[in-house]
Amino acid sequence: MSGNQKLWGGRFEAEVAEWVEAFGASIGFDQKMAKQDLQGSIAHVIMLGETGIITQSEALTIKNGLMDLLAELEEGQLQFDIANEDIHMNMESLLTAKIGPVAGKLHTARSRNDQVATDMHLYLKEQLQYIDKLLLGLRQVLVNLAEAHVETIMPGYTHLQHAQPISFGHHLMAYYQMFTRDSERFAFNLYHTDMSPLGAAALAGTTFPIDRQMTSDLLDFEKPYANSLDAVSDRDFILEFLSNSSILMMHLSRFCEEIINWCSHEYQFVTLSDTFSTGSSIMPQKKNPDMAELIRGKTGRVYGDLMALLTVMKSLPLAYNKDLQEDKEGMFDTVDTVTVSLKIMTGMLETMTVNKDVMSKSTTRDFSNATELADYLAAKGLPFREAHAIVGHLVLECSKKGIFLQDIPLEDYQAQSDLITDDVYQVLDSRNAVARRQSLGGTGFDQVLWQIQKAKENVFH
């Protein structure tokens, strides 16, 4: 029986069958971390040379070989082999082919366990910063759009029923607040990602006199992990990312649901750019909000990535287990999904036409001003519950006659309550109803402008 030729194969007599090898390999997806793997190795070999664990000459030879591989990677020249299982073994094999047996000294005082964890921290740290940049762009677009529509009136909804008239700018700023919380969650996520596992080795650290602070600094991490077992087995930072991404996608999906409704013939509140719409293969009149629908649909995909990793992690004993190979594909998938969704949403909002007149008109032939009438009576001293009952009766009578509150003659109003005078029609006007709601955070124009000013201080500083 021939010996096993793997870099780890000294203990084994037989080769692994190809189909089993394919099942265990991760190079098909972890090659996404090729740059990070080389960066981690460069920091590690510099430290090995500086601490005298290997000679400075050996360290320089290895470092130069790694730098050559990094240049080739950036030029798209590297080829990976499934026989080498993962990105780490592929890089070591490529380095050995380039500089000879001295490449074997690179793995001194290091394991694939801390190596892969380091790669993931480097990768996700970079992606978190990029996602926050995209979120900032989306928030800026929302602030600009809200500022343009402070005095655009629309119906506010509860239970998908017209509730009260509000400022469209106010509605948009609600989403600004959601996406701001998303940004804050990712910032905290970055705090837990900006940590170096390198030097934890397999699980217990190493007998070599390594300098973990040096490699942490070289890789621009905030600090090294304090516990070697935790360093190689922690995936909380990925779980946080997937959880935060799920909340973000939920926010995007809610917004998309509204945009999809607003585009419909029944609403006609907005018109999407052709860039973010598609047609029908059979119905020539159709203009479908497909990009919004795709974001809504891809939300479930991100939820699935979160549940998959939570399930993988729920019963893993310390420290490293092969199950952890399943931590990467969901992370990569979520990064791709979130980044493209943010780009699409930002572009969709930037190019969207708001049909202000349609929005405003929809608040004049409804009963969204009913609360105004109840508040009007309450302000004149009538107990609110009595005012509520009177207005409810008036709405019922209007519904039977096919008219609205602003159509009721003054004498009919006064038959219900002598507290009602001719100023009631000003109160019932939807624009006035919006403008008067000046409680903190309300939809009144001055309050919306205050919200926008506060937001500008955060996103345009």
Side-chain angles (χ1 to χ4, degrees):
M1 201 177 280
S2 61
N4 191 301
Q5 301 303 307
K6 299 290 185 187
L7 293 176
W8 45 260
R11 162 71 174 77
F12 293 78
E13 293 182 344
E15 292 286 346
V16 179
E18 285 187 15
W19 67 273
V20 176
E21 183 174 72
F23 181 72
S26 60
I27 188 60
F29 51 85
D30 67 11
Q31 60 185 275
K32 275 181 174 277
M33 301 187 300
K35 179 183 74 172
Q36 289 78 16
D37 197 70
L38 289 168
Q39 290 171 336
S41 291
I42 290 167
H44 184 65
V45 78
I46 290 172
M47 181 274 296
L48 291 178
E50 290 293 326
T51 54
I53 295 172
I54 64 176
T55 68
Q56 285 284 12
S57 175
E58 291 169 329
L60 183 61
T61 299
I62 296 170
K63 179 187 172 185
N64 288 340
L66 291 167
M67 294 296 291
D68 288 345
L69 289 177
L70 187 58
E72 291 173 25
L73 175 69
E74 290 171 351
E75 293 169 7
Q77 297 177 356
L78 292 187
Q79 298 292 321
F80 303 119
D81 187 348
I82 195 171
N84 287 320
E85 297 180 25
D86 55 33
I87 190 59
H88 325 298
M89 304 302 276
N90 266 272
M91 285 303 185
E92 188 170 340
S93 179
L94 290 167
L95 183 65
T96 301
K98 184 175 287 291
I99 65 173
V102 70
K105 294 199 172 188
L106 170 61
H107 210 54
T108 306
R110 185 177 73 170
S111 164
R112 279 189 293 177
N113 295 357
D114 61 331
Q115 190 177 355
V116 67
T118 301
D119 291 359
M120 287 190 293
H121 276 269
L122 287 170
Y123 171 83
L124 193 54
K125 178 182 175 181
E126 181 179 322
Q127 295 304 321
L128 282 169
Q129 292 168 330
Y130 180 52
I131 287 169
D132 193 56
K133 182 180 178 182
L134 294 177
L135 260 173
L136 178 63
L138 174 58
R139 291 161 64 211
Q140 289 172 338
V141 167
L142 278 170
V143 170
N144 288 334
L145 193 58
E147 188 170 35
H149 291 285
V150 171
E151 298 192 19
T152 298
I153 309 301
M154 70 174 292
Y157 294 84
T158 61
H159 309 278
L160 268 183
Q161 305 293 315
H162 283 212
Q164 292 175 308
I166 61 171
S167 156
F168 183 49
H170 186 60
H171 193 106
L172 293 169
M173 289 304 293
Y175 282 104
Y176 167 83
Q177 296 296 338
M178 294 182 207
F179 294 130
T180 297
R181 292 193 295 272
D182 289 322
S183 179
E184 291 166 351
R185 274 185 283 269
F186 283 123
F188 191 62
N189 192 173
L190 184 60
Y191 175 76
H192 291 147
T193 306
D194 199 12
M195 298 167 64
S196 175
L198 193 56
L203 76 161
T206 177
T207 57
F208 289 98
I210 62 172
D211 188 337
R212 291 192 61 214
Q213 187 63 54
M214 181 189 296
T215 53
S216 179
D217 292 342
L218 286 170
L219 292 170
D220 197 29
F221 281 121
E222 178 66 26
K223 61 184 177 182
Y225 270 84
N227 182 286
S228 61
L229 280 169
D230 187 40
V232 297
S233 62
D234 172 37
R235 296 299 183 268
D236 290 358
F237 67 105
I238 302 178
L239 285 168
E240 283 183 12
F241 168 66
L242 298 176
S243 177
N244 295 339
S245 296
S246 294
I247 297 172
L248 167 60
M249 290 299 297
M250 177 269 290
H251 290 154
L252 290 171
S253 183
R254 291 183 73 181
F255 204 172
C256 284
E257 173 74 9
E258 296 204 302
I259 289 170
I260 291 162
N261 284 336
W262 294 343
C263 286
S264 70
H265 181 75
E266 287 71 23
Y267 284 77
Q268 299 183 45
F269 285 179
V270 302
T271 304
L272 292 183
S273 161
D274 290 354
T275 303
F276 299 97
S277 309
T278 62
S280 165
S281 63
I282 188 172
M283 295 169 283
Q285 84 281 8
K286 293 296 292 296
K287 184 177 180 180
N288 300 325
D290 278 11
M291 300 307 109
E293 291 173 359
L294 277 172
I295 292 174
R296 186 176 61 181
K298 287 178 182 291
T299 299
R301 182 188 191 111
V302 174
Y303 291 178
D305 291 334
L306 171 61
M307 292 309 301
L309 186 55
L310 281 169
T311 305
V312 167
M313 297 298 299
K314 74 175 181 62
S315 56
L316 287 190
L318 294 175
Y320 185 83
N321 300 271
K322 189 68 168 178
D323 313 50
L324 289 173
Q325 185 167 292
E326 294 297 312
D327 59 4
K328 300 171 193 64
E329 287 181 280
M331 176 179 69
F332 297 147
D333 178 63
T334 292
V335 165
D336 291 344
T337 302
V338 165
T339 53
V340 72
S341 295
L342 286 170
K343 290 176 184 176
I344 292 290
M345 179 61 87
T346 302
M348 195 160 53
L349 292 175
E350 276 185 310
T351 57
M352 180 177 73
T353 300
V354 179
N355 302 321
K356 296 192 290 186
D357 292 343
V358 177
M359 273 191 179
S360 181
K361 187 177 179 180
S362 71
T363 67
T364 64
R365 312 308 290 169
D366 68 356
F367 294 101
S368 62
N369 52 3
T371 306
E372 306 309 310
L373 182 55
D375 286 348
Y376 169 87
L377 290 168
K380 292 198 172 189
L382 192 68
F384 183 80
R385 281 299 161 214
E386 290 183 33
H388 188 286
I390 289 172
V391 177
H393 175 73
L394 288 168
V395 169
L396 177 61
E397 291 302 309
C398 285
S399 297
K400 290 177 179 178
K401 295 175 182 178
I403 63 172
F404 300 94
L405 291 175
Q406 56 270 32
D407 301 325
I408 298 174
L410 182 59
E411 56 268 26
D412 290 355
Y413 269 128
Q414 292 180 332
Q416 292 291 325
S417 172
D418 57 10
L419 294 174
I420 301 176
T421 58
D422 59 4
D423 62 344
V424 72
Y425 298 104
Q426 288 297 312
V427 171
L428 292 171
D429 179 80
S430 58
R431 179 181 174 81
N432 291 337
V434 174
R436 292 171 62 241
R437 294 191 173 275
Q438 293 299 337
S439 58
L440 180 65
T443 191
F445 303 142
D446 291 343
Q447 281 297 313
V448 177
L449 287 169
W450 172 78
Q451 293 176 53
I452 290 169
Q453 183 55 43
K454 286 293 184 184
K456 280 185 170 182
E457 292 171 9
N458 287 326
V459 298
F460 292 112
H461 58 295

